[in-house]
Amino acid sequence: MQNLTILGSTGSIGTSTLDVVARHPDRFRVFALTAFRQVDLLFKQCVQFKPQYAVLLDATAVAQMRVRVKEAGLQMEVLSGVEALEQVSQAAEVDAVMAAIVGAAGLRPTLAAAKAGKKILLANKETLVMAGNVFMDAVKLSGSALLPIDSEHNAIFQALPRGYDGDKASAGVRRILLTASGGPFRNTPLEQLRDVTPEQACAHPNWVMGRKISVDSASMMNKGLEVIEAHWLFNASADDIQVVVHPQSVIHSLVEYVDGSVIAQLGNPDMRTPIAYGLAYPERIDSGVGSLDLFKVATMNFVAPDFERFPCLALAYQALRTAGTAPAMLNAANEVAVEAFLDKRITFLDIPKIIEQVLNQLSVCPVHELEDVLLADAQARTAAAAKLG
Ligand code: NAD
Ligand code: MG
């Protein structure tokens, strides 16, 4: 029986995780669920999964949740704040933590889980983008098992030899082929990109996801963040990672070996597959995902990424090559710009412009500890906010 903390349980990944968990009451118990402020859904989840703790970040939401928990007579505590997120991530009773908070807010609790040696199911890619070396050092030091949940990284993990430790040469790995759907604007005429709306950006052709990652997919910043994520997870350099646009999203990524073999992982585009893999690893369990109908897929296409159409992807490669605090700054400027785009304060094409200006303006420092990352994150947020006008 695994005792789970699910950070961000009300989100797209969080609800998919609970869907898988509900299929296996003999294997998983929920210790804690957390959300920013979605009281209704969090309460419903607490009634169904009976955790010991629920954590909310918004003060009004905490008060509402406490009233509802009391009225319903649930035997649980409602906590608030970032410290509480850390507490439920590192608690002695917890075996595994699903890190599914969106954005930089996921960093502290995910790092807490790593320091406490928990099994980590990592969906929050921003943790690795911001603080890759700090996080990976914590994982190594504590002996945490780290299971990538991002579908591409989960595919790569499955296609690598079991126990791969980052030594590409001894594993015979030549390169990583990271697939990308190309998002909803893959074929949109360039002159129309300026006027696309948040609703259009969030209407992803293959995946249903939270709004921030949906915009990132439309700009291909998501793939850029994933290149950086792959760098830290698999010890691959920017040159070792080739992005491949594959609009059908059936192949979730591939690993090429020195003998010319290429191993891919395929499946329906449904996050419950990588989630179930991470939850049960090294076993396999039912995820609720149906069979892949190859006859229905029929054709698969592959094209090289267009860096002119998707400048965010080029900016992410550049930040990875620059290293130090550059990826943290890229991530922070992107979060500010995406939020402004979702609020209709800037256009879609302003997103890469703001990020580029922030990266050109600020000086990059080496990352020795978490504080270096948090400082760079704050500086980049201030710089990006100043450009919103
Ligand atoms: P989402 O927006 O649907 O859910 C985010 C969750 O985090 C919610 O539970 C929300 O309440 C919580 N949250 C938001 N802001 C918070 C804050 N400041 N403090 C604490 N909690 C907060 O997002 P999602 O699509 O589920 O994505 C979650 C993470 O997983 C992201 O890092 C994303 O990049 C990654 N991911 C998602 C998918 C997907 O298919 N959705 C695929 C791969 C990776
Ligand atoms: Mg992905």
Side-chain angles (χ1 to χ4, degrees):
M1 187 62 91
Q2 275 186 66
N3 221 2
L4 307 174
T5 282
I6 301 172
L7 301 168
S9 67
T10 55
S12 167
I13 294 288
T15 50
S16 291
T17 304
L18 288 174
D19 181 282
V20 178
V21 166
R23 291 165 197 276
H24 304 279
D26 52 322
R27 282 179 179 264
F28 308 112
R29 223 179 12 226
V30 177
F31 175 76
L33 297 173
T34 87
F36 185 59
R37 60 167 167 227
Q38 283 169 283
V39 175
D40 286 345
L41 182 53
L42 188 66
F43 177 72
K44 244 175 88 183
Q45 293 177 339
C46 289
V47 170
Q48 184 180 355
F49 293 96
K50 306 203 169 38
Q52 275 162 267
Y53 294 97
V55 183
L56 283 152
L57 270 289
D58 178 84
T60 321
V62 172
Q64 289 170 348
M65 184 76 179
R66 285 192 175 134
V67 171
R68 296 186 66 173
V69 162
K70 200 166 166 211
E71 279 172 5
L74 294 181
Q75 294 300 305
M76 60 177 292
E77 265 186 75
V78 181
L79 307 175
S80 71
V82 179
E83 289 73 25
L85 292 177
E86 291 178 329
Q87 185 190 324
V88 296
S89 297
Q90 66 199 19
E93 299 95 316
V94 173
D95 300 302
V97 175
M98 164 55 84
I101 290 174
V102 61
L107 173 59
R108 278 181 174 278
T110 310
L111 192 57
K115 286 186 177 157
K118 304 303 181 193
K119 170 176 160 181
I120 300 171
L121 310 187
L122 188 69
N124 178 259
K125 62 192 86 186
E126 293 90 348
T127 288
L128 278 177
V129 173
M130 295 174 72
N133 64 341
V134 175
F135 180 73
M136 293 306 285
D137 284 352
V139 164
K140 275 182 206 125
L141 197 66
S142 70
S144 274
L146 179 58
L147 292 152
I149 297 303
D150 212 345
S151 57
E152 297 78 2
H153 305 75
N154 190 269
I156 294 162
F157 185 86
Q158 293 195 45
L160 283 167
R162 180 150 303 172
Y164 172 77
D165 63 356
D167 187 346
K168 288 190 302 295
S170 74
V173 172
R174 189 184 276 158
R175 58 179 184 153
I176 285 170
L177 300 163
L178 189 71
T179 54
S181 69
F185 305 142
R186 192 170 51 87
N187 294 320
T188 306
L190 282 180
E191 64 278 7
Q192 285 175 23
L193 277 185
R194 193 189 167 278
D195 300 319
V196 297
T197 64
E199 290 66 37
Q200 288 171 308
C202 289
H204 196 278
N206 308 332
W207 298 91
V208 183
M209 308 179 287
R211 282 164 74 77
K212 190 260 177 183
I213 184 178
S214 295
V215 176
D216 285 350
S217 298
S219 69
M220 282 194 82
M221 178 55 92
N222 182 50
K223 210 48 54 181
L225 300 179
E226 289 184 0
V227 169
I228 302 172
E229 183 184 12
H231 160 74
W232 289 111
L233 285 172
F234 308 118
N235 190 32
S237 71
D239 293 329
D240 296 330
I241 306 164
Q242 171 69 54
V243 171
V244 178
V245 177
H246 162 48
Q248 291 85 4
S249 299
V250 168
I251 296 183
H252 298 307
S253 278
L254 318 87
V255 175
E256 181 182 318
Y257 288 87
V258 289
D259 60 2
S261 293
V262 179
I263 300 187
Q265 186 260 359
L266 287 74
N268 287 321
D270 188 320
M271 290 305 294
R272 290 176 301 174
T273 296
I275 290 167
Y277 183 87
L279 280 171
Y281 180 83
E283 292 173 57
R284 299 239 180 209
I285 54 171
D286 172 37
S287 66
V289 178
S291 294
L292 174 66
D293 186 343
L294 281 174
F295 302 121
K296 217 161 148 189
V297 174
T299 332
M300 290 197 269
N301 303 92
F302 306 96
V303 287
D306 180 346
F307 288 98
E308 234 168 90
R309 172 180 289 268
F310 298 113
C312 283
L313 182 58
L315 288 168
Y317 263 107
Q318 185 193 318
L320 174 56
R321 291 195 164 99
T322 306
T325 49
M329 290 172 176
L330 170 97
N331 178 68
N334 180 57
E335 285 190 25
V336 172
V338 168
E339 204 180 312
F341 169 69
L342 285 170
D343 291 344
K344 302 195 174 161
R345 295 178 61 195
I346 60 170
T347 71
F348 185 68
L349 294 181
D350 289 332
I351 297 173
K353 282 188 199 144
I354 288 171
I355 299 167
E356 185 170 20
Q357 286 169 7
V358 169
L359 288 173
N360 288 339
Q361 178 187 333
L362 300 176
S363 39
V364 172
C365 305
V367 174
H368 300 296
E369 55 188 0
L370 184 64
E371 302 316 314
D372 302 324
V373 172
L374 298 178
L375 183 65
D377 176 82
Q379 284 174 339
R381 278 172 203 276
T382 308
K387 301 190 190 312
L388 297 177

